[in-house]
Amino acid sequence: MYITAAVLSVLLAFVTLAAGVPKALLKGDVSAGLQSHMGLSAGLVRFVGVAEVAASVGLVVGLFWQPLGIAAAVGFGITMIGAVGYHTKAGDYADPATRGNAMAPIILALVSAATAVTLVLAM
């Protein structure tokens, strides 16, 4: 079970780092889209980016101290549930043009839940 937990943790860490750094630096299309399309403030976008980077670090360190990895996976999952709420509020799931991008938080919430469960079982 530890190998599965490690693979999921590393994959999720890469995804959270890749998603979080541009938001934390307020660079790129995603950051601009969150501000214009979703109506998020620059401070909130930066906060979400920093939280995603912190989750990435927590997932990697959690390979050696599993309670931190579990907390990071759960925290990131909660962040993704919030993202689903914002996408729902913006109507992204009803619009075929934006539905594809809006599915990412759902998938990542499921992966983070699987990561947390496997880390618990690997203890």
Side-chain angles (χ1 to χ4, degrees):
M1 190 57 68
Y2 181 77
I3 293 172
T4 304
V7 168
L8 286 172
S9 293
V10 169
L11 289 174
L12 194 58
F14 280 131
V15 170
T16 58
L17 187 65
V21 168
K23 291 175 194 162
L25 299 175
L26 296 177
K27 302 282 184 185
D29 295 338
V30 172
S31 179
L34 289 172
Q35 292 178 55
S36 64
H37 176 66
M38 297 281 201
L40 302 179
S41 68
L44 183 56
V45 172
R46 183 166 293 185
F47 175 77
V48 170
V50 169
E52 289 175 347
V53 171
S56 178
V57 172
L59 286 163
V60 171
V61 174
L63 293 173
F64 306 101
W65 189 52
Q66 287 158 328
L68 181 61
I70 295 165
V74 169
F76 182 69
I78 291 168
T79 303
M80 290 299 100
I81 291 169
V84 169
Y86 273 98
H87 281 289
T88 302
K89 182 179 169 185
D92 290 342
Y93 296 110
D95 185 1
T98 58
R99 188 177 304 140
N101 289 337
M103 293 303 290
I106 294 172
I107 294 166
L108 290 173
L110 294 172
V111 172
S112 67
T115 303
V117 169
T118 56
L119 282 168
V120 168
L121 294 174
M123 289 181 85

